[in-house]
Amino acid sequence: MKGIISIFLVVLLGMLVWTSYFSETENLPQTSVPSTSQNPVTATAQATTKILWPLKPSIPDAVIIPTYTTDKSAPNVRKYQVKYGDSFHLILQDLGLEKELANKLAYEISKTIDLNQFQVGNSYRIQYNESNSTPIALVYDLEDRKELHIDFEDAEVAIKDKVVDISIESLDAVINGSLAQTVLKHGAPEDLADKILSVFAWKIDFRHLQKGDHFNVIYEKETSMNEVLGTRNILAITFNHEDVEYAAYGFDNGSGHELFDAEGQNMSYAPLQFDMITSLYAQKRFHPTQRRYKAHYGMDFEANLGTPIEAIKDGVITRARYGRANGNNVKIEHSKDLSTQYLHLSKIDSSIHVGAKVKQGQVIGYVGNTGWSSGPHLCLRVWYKGKQRDPLDFDFPRRPDITEQNMPEFLQHVRRINSQMSQAL
């Protein structure tokens, strides 16, 4: 009898809880969900704390809240980032463009750029009409300081150069953690760390910086639409490592901006004129195209597409062909023990073939993005006694020093920079 009563009480209690749950649910306020045709401008006008974004077909029961920023100097421009599931066509539809116009613009976009450049996390901005808040243009950030301009009113698609502002900045900092952590801590562009490493890579082992090492750098910062793009050039820098001070000064010796020490000796031992070193020889590095950690037995130099690549020493060509991973690549044997290899070339120079003899400084190919590569660069590899080694372990020739003709102007430039840096301290 007691068992029957216990079961009855449990069932009764469950019914009470069930009834209470549904009565509370029915009293909750209903949330309005915008339709897929809703214009984002209209949605933003309806709420100040939440922005209801048009639903994506693949997420039927969710309200997506985009993160965007408004440029205070241009309040009719809003900045967004590409999200998973986005496409140019979908963004154009979500903006409320007529189907025919959206289709036409999407087709023109596909003819204008490689759609592989449309990636999650990339930035774009929408310009709205100031009087009625309707969208009139979309600008999408591309590589190499380029932008894709999509004009809704004229139905035109074009690639244009970004409007870039350059300012002279300085940073005096003590190393605390890594070089990159130190740079970011002081609010400087992240790529400034790569630029600094590129100057002193052949002088300082940046994998073993010491706490208390310090540097003072004058550099050019690039911005566009109040957004920091990065570092253009280092104009001058001193770096104190283990109580030894190194200095370098930017100067055009006739081949563009390069860095030299106070005596006019080139700081670079690379086989090309490059923008910055983006990766060193390492036993473990996250591969940008394979998306996994693996050894990187080379040294990567970011440079403009088509930049000439030179033989680092005299030698004989032992390989000049295309490989699935290495792209167009050339290998030079300098001695019985030493060889160098040049990867991801856009093309191999027509004079280069297996068995050909080359001289130091002779052009063997041009910077490219072939093979397993995520952008224009040269991967330099060094083989010593049949094994790959760190290129920084070898005493390769320097790039050209300041010419005798340019030396007086260079020395005057160094004195002027040193005076400016000492006054700033």
Side-chain angles (χ1 to χ4, degrees), residues 42-232:
T42 306
T44 56
Q46 292 174 351
T48 55
T49 57
K50 271 193 175 181
I51 303 145
L52 300 181
W53 191 248
L55 299 179
K56 304 296 184 290
S58 59
I59 316 175
D61 298 318
V63 175
I64 299 176
I65 303 175
T67 55
Y68 73 80
T69 57
T70 301
D71 188 343
K72 293 181 180 179
S73 63
N76 60 320
V77 175
R78 288 178 180 166
K79 298 178 182 179
Y80 298 85
Q81 284 189 322
V82 175
K83 300 184 296 300
Y84 183 78
D86 275 347
S87 68
F88 275 120
H89 191 268
L90 190 58
I91 290 173
L92 296 175
Q93 282 186 321
D94 287 346
L95 287 171
L97 269 64
E98 293 182 1
K99 184 177 180 179
E100 184 179 350
L101 177 59
N103 290 341
K104 178 183 178 180
L105 290 173
Y107 175 69
E108 292 298 325
I109 292 167
S110 69
K111 292 196 308 179
T112 306
I113 67 166
D114 179 358
L115 291 180
N116 287 326
Q117 295 189 59
F118 186 81
Q119 297 181 356
V120 173
N122 285 4
S123 299
Y124 66 94
R125 57 187 186 272
I126 306 294
Q127 182 180 357
Y128 295 89
N129 186 300
E130 292 184 4
S131 60
N132 58 21
S133 297
T134 57
I136 57 176
L138 184 152
V139 180
Y140 181 80
D141 288 345
L142 299 172
E143 299 173 346
D144 300 324
R145 306 296 192 261
K146 302 285 186 182
E147 295 176 328
L148 180 70
H149 285 248
I150 306 167
D151 190 317
F152 304 156
E153 296 180 323
D154 296 330
E156 293 180 348
V157 176
I159 295 176
K160 299 181 181 181
D161 291 324
K162 277 189 175 182
V163 177
V164 178
D165 297 316
I166 300 173
S167 60
I168 307 299
E169 308 288 339
S170 64
L171 175 60
D172 188 9
V174 177
I175 296 294
N176 186 7
S178 68
L179 177 60
Q181 288 170 335
T182 303
V183 165
L184 289 173
K185 179 182 177 182
H186 287 82
E190 185 176 7
D191 68 347
L192 179 60
D194 289 330
K195 294 276 190 176
I196 294 173
L197 180 149
S198 302
V199 177
F200 297 115
W202 290 271
K203 305 289 185 183
I204 299 172
D205 185 353
F206 282 89
R207 289 163 289 204
H208 296 93
L209 291 178
Q210 304 298 313
K211 191 174 182 178
D213 289 352
H214 55 91
F215 62 90
N216 184 12
V217 60
I218 301 174
Y219 64 97
E220 295 173 323
K221 184 174 74 173
E222 294 182 322
T223 57
S224 179
M225 295 287 293
N226 295 326
E227 177 186 354
V228 176
L229 300 179
T231 307
R232 186 184 188 189

Side-chain angles (χ1 to χ4, degrees), residues 340-360:
T340 55
Q341 190 177 5
Y342 311 77
L343 278 55
H344 309 303
L345 280 58
S346 59
K347 67 176 181 177
I348 298 170
D349 192 81
S350 58
S351 65
I352 301 303
H353 56 84
V354 173
K357 294 182 179 180
V358 292
K359 292 289 186 182
Q360 175 195 330

Side-chain angles (χ1 to χ4, degrees), residues 117-408:
Q117 295 189 59
F118 186 81
Q119 297 181 356
V120 173
N122 285 4
S123 299
Y124 66 94
R125 57 187 186 272
I126 306 294
Q127 182 180 357
Y128 295 89
N129 186 300
E130 292 184 4
S131 60
N132 58 21
S133 297
T134 57
I136 57 176
L138 184 152
V139 180
Y140 181 80
D141 288 345
L142 299 172
E143 299 173 346
D144 300 324
R145 306 296 192 261
K146 302 285 186 182
E147 295 176 328
L148 180 70
H149 285 248
I150 306 167
D151 190 317
F152 304 156
E153 296 180 323
D154 296 330
E156 293 180 348
V157 176
I159 295 176
K160 299 181 181 181
D161 291 324
K162 277 189 175 182
V163 177
V164 178
D165 297 316
I166 300 173
S167 60
I168 307 299
E169 308 288 339
S170 64
L171 175 60
D172 188 9
V174 177
I175 296 294
N176 186 7
S178 68
L179 177 60
Q181 288 170 335
T182 303
V183 165
L184 289 173
K185 179 182 177 182
H186 287 82
E190 185 176 7
D191 68 347
L192 179 60
D194 289 330
K195 294 276 190 176
I196 294 173
L197 180 149
S198 302
V199 177
F200 297 115
W202 290 271
K203 305 289 185 183
I204 299 172
D205 185 353
F206 282 89
R207 289 163 289 204
H208 296 93
L209 291 178
Q210 304 298 313
K211 191 174 182 178
D213 289 352
H214 55 91
F215 62 90
N216 184 12
V217 60
I218 301 174
Y219 64 97
E220 295 173 323
K221 184 174 74 173
E222 294 182 322
T223 57
S224 179
M225 295 287 293
N226 295 326
E227 177 186 354
V228 176
L229 300 179
T231 307
R232 186 184 188 189
N233 289 314
I234 286 181
L235 303 181
I237 181 171
T238 60
F239 201 110
N240 190 294
H241 173 60
E242 295 183 331
D243 295 326
V244 177
E245 184 162 283
Y246 303 87
Y249 306 87
F251 191 80
D252 187 351
N253 193 39
S255 302
H257 187 84
E258 296 180 274
L259 276 296
F260 303 86
D261 67 15
E263 286 70 46
Q265 293 186 342
N266 204 311
M267 301 296 293
S268 173
Y269 292 73
L272 78 167
Q273 191 161 332
F274 64 96
D275 184 39
M276 60 184 173
I277 296 169
T278 54
S279 187
L280 297 173
Y281 180 96
Q283 293 299 323
K284 188 177 182 181
R285 181 199 71 155
F286 188 73
H287 197 282
T289 60
Q290 294 182 290
R291 313 303 296 173
R292 65 186 179 92
Y293 285 95
K294 60 181 292 187
H296 182 245
Y297 295 126
M299 187 172 177
D300 289 349
F301 300 89
E302 181 181 295
N304 291 331
L305 194 69
T307 299
I309 298 168
E310 304 165 3
I312 210 163
K313 294 184 71 172
D314 295 354
V316 178
I317 303 296
T318 58
R319 179 184 297 170
R321 59 181 173 83
Y322 180 85
R324 187 167 67 96
N326 295 338
N328 294 319
N329 68 100
V330 173
K331 194 171 184 179
I332 305 174
E333 183 180 274
H334 304 289
S335 68
K336 184 180 72 171
D337 294 331
L338 180 65
S339 295
T340 55
Q341 190 177 5
Y342 311 77
L343 278 55
H344 309 303
L345 280 58
S346 59
K347 67 176 181 177
I348 298 170
D349 192 81
S350 58
S351 65
I352 301 303
H353 56 84
V354 173
K357 294 182 179 180
V358 292
K359 292 289 186 182
Q360 175 195 330
Q362 179 179 337
V363 174
I364 59 171
Y366 305 87
V367 169
N369 188 29
T370 57
W372 290 351
S373 169
S374 59
H377 77 289
L378 167 70
C379 178
L380 172 66
R381 301 203 170 193
V382 176
W383 299 75
Y384 185 71
K385 293 186 176 181
K387 295 183 178 180
Q388 296 191 70
R389 295 277 302 277
D390 188 345
L392 292 176
D393 289 343
F394 296 84
D395 188 19
F396 291 126
R398 283 195 312 272
R399 295 196 63 75
D401 298 332
I402 294 293
T403 63
E404 184 177 351
Q405 179 182 359
N406 290 335
M407 186 61 77

